[in-house]
Amino acid sequence: ILKPSTSNLAISNLEKNFGNYPLYGANGYLKSINFYEKEVEYIAIVKDGSGVGKLMLCKRKSSVLGTLQYLDVLGQNDLYFIYYLLLTLNFKKYIIGSTIPHIYFKDYSNEIIRIPSISEQIKIANLLTSIDKKMEQTNKEIEINKEFKKGLLQKMFC
């Protein structure tokens, strides 16, 4: 259901590169550069170093550093459903190496998973996406209220 591909991009080669296309690293968005490697949305997985096994859903017209791997969804499968499905997998059991941990597609690609019809995939993905959006909105509201409380406390005690 997935096709891996690699990136050879290094942040050290992109320090003076600025543009409109997102570049992702192990911790998410890094900066915008003037080119992209992927035309469509995709899943990225950290394959080397800190955060190995971490998954990200990445925007179209973007790129990842060489410590990540592109995972393109094949066939009649929904990208968002496959992303949420992958989040349920335990990638830690596939990590090799202690100094610099690695994870290889050839190992975790043998996972056996159940995949419903495309219409069910879309329904499930839409539900989970709406829950994520609601959680994100709630977290924003919590942060706003924390700042408001902090301001009130400063006014009260200063």
Side-chain angles (χ1 to χ4, degrees), residues 12-75:
S12 59
N13 297 336
L14 299 169
E15 288 175 0
K16 296 179 182 175
N17 187 312
F18 300 98
N20 297 319
Y21 304 108
L23 174 67
Y24 298 98
N27 293 318
Y29 172 81
L30 287 174
K31 64 181 277 183
S32 293
I33 56 176
N34 65 4
F35 67 93
Y36 59 89
E37 291 188 332
K38 286 299 208 181
E39 179 74 34
V40 297
E41 285 183 293
Y42 56 93
I43 300 166
I45 186 168
V46 179
K47 65 180 180 106
D48 297 317
S50 177
V52 70
K54 178 182 174 186
L55 294 163
M56 285 178 257
L57 195 54
C58 299
K59 296 178 181 180
R60 61 188 294 272
K61 293 187 177 180
S62 65
S63 305
V64 299
L65 292 179
T67 55
L68 284 79
Q69 186 170 45
Y70 298 111
L71 298 175
D72 293 307
V73 175
L74 299 175

